[in-house]
Amino acid sequence: MAEADILLAPSFPVKLVSKARRLKWFQCTNAGIDTVLPIRDQLNELIITNARGVHGELIADYVIAGITMLHWDFPRFMREQARKEWRDRSITLLAEQTLGVVGLGSIGAAIARRAKGAGMRVIGCKRDVTEPVPYVDELLPSSGLEELLTLSDFVVLAVPRIPETERLIGRAQFRQMRRTAFLVNIARGAVVAESELIEALVSGEIAGALLDVFEQEPLPAESPLWTMPNVIVTPHVAGWRSDYDRRTLDIFSENIHCFLEDPPLQNVIDLSRGC
């Protein structure tokens, strides 16, 4: 670390920051740079880039598949199949539902496009609303989160983990959601107050959840989320595409060229914002 000019890694080795005196550029192979934020005041002029753009399409696959399963209550079908029970029922069209996307970066934008392709009404919430976002029917500022929650049948969290988004969704927000609504978290576990989510699921304050990220990973075996009938748990895989290494190395290769020739690098992180 003391001799490195460039670091390619999924996370920053925080304990070695004092030794990284020559380091000029950190290429993170993840989209999130959570490990860097606590030490950003020690990084001086360090350039940080991430793997933005690699995850969006696969995560959009995951979200559309997941909300379809929740909408049809496929977990219930699977339980009935295991018991060899034949129970028919009717259901509304997915195209009659409203999807709220909190965070409209590359991932949130891909989710919005897929949802619009399924015929859903799409509401989006982001910090900068000066420009319209394709496939978003109604764009709200960050202060419009409550309105998004009250209007949505599915709420998808696609924000980065920064101080402003930690525990963004908790008891007050669950009370603003429809009792028939579902929460989908593909952001970071810290964005949701997990104990308050569990309370909302048990009490029926919201209908259910699709969760790929958690406050503690792996999710502890004693967590009630594992066995809740209205929850789908996955092990932080929504963005883990089979060609992930090749795609991230393509970004790194292009950035190496930019770094040596001195044009701007792609996917540069604004440390003041954390994304």
Side-chain angles (χ1 to χ4, degrees), residues 40-52:
R40 54 183 161 184
D41 58 338
Q42 303 175 49
L43 297 178
N44 299 319
E45 301 300 315
L46 182 68
I47 300 169
I48 300 175
T49 56
N50 69 357
R52 184 171 60 247

Side-chain angles (χ1 to χ4, degrees), residues 132-261:
V133 178
Y135 310 104
V136 175
D137 297 299
E138 185 175 355
L139 183 60
L140 301 170
S142 300
S143 59
L145 176 60
E146 179 178 348
E147 183 179 354
L148 180 145
L149 295 175
T150 61
L151 295 173
S152 300
D153 298 295
F154 298 90
V155 175
V156 181
L157 305 178
V159 293
R161 181 186 177 180
I162 55 177
E164 292 83 0
T165 62
E166 291 209 13
R167 298 175 72 86
L168 178 69
I169 305 296
R171 186 172 291 110
Q173 288 70 39
F174 294 125
R175 289 173 178 165
Q176 292 160 2
M177 291 174 64
R178 301 175 176 182
R179 295 182 72 86
T180 55
F182 296 89
L183 180 74
V184 179
N185 190 6
I186 49 83
R188 285 291 186 267
V191 173
V192 175
E194 202 165 282
S195 63
E196 295 170 17
L197 168 61
I198 292 169
E199 291 174 9
L201 290 164
V202 170
S203 68
E205 209 156 42
I206 63 172
L210 170 63
L211 307 170
D212 189 52
V213 289
F214 305 89
E215 287 181 344
Q216 181 181 340
E217 296 182 2
L219 182 65
E222 62 273 15
S223 171
L225 292 169
W226 282 112
T227 54
M228 286 184 167
N230 54 346
V231 175
I232 299 174
V233 167
T234 56
H236 203 151
V237 294
W240 194 3
R241 51 189 297 165
S242 57
D243 61 348
Y244 194 93
D245 289 350
R246 181 183 64 79
R247 293 293 301 273
T248 54
L249 287 173
D250 285 346
I251 293 172
F252 182 59
S253 176
E254 181 65 26
N255 269 344
I256 279 279
H257 175 75
C258 294
F259 183 78
L260 296 174
E261 299 298 326

Side-chain angles (χ1 to χ4, degrees), residues 98-102 121-125 148 152-157:
T98 297
L99 181 78
V101 185
V102 184
R121 178 173 180 246
V122 179
I123 302 173
C125 183
L148 180 145
S152 300
D153 298 295
F154 298 90
V155 175
V156 181
L157 305 178

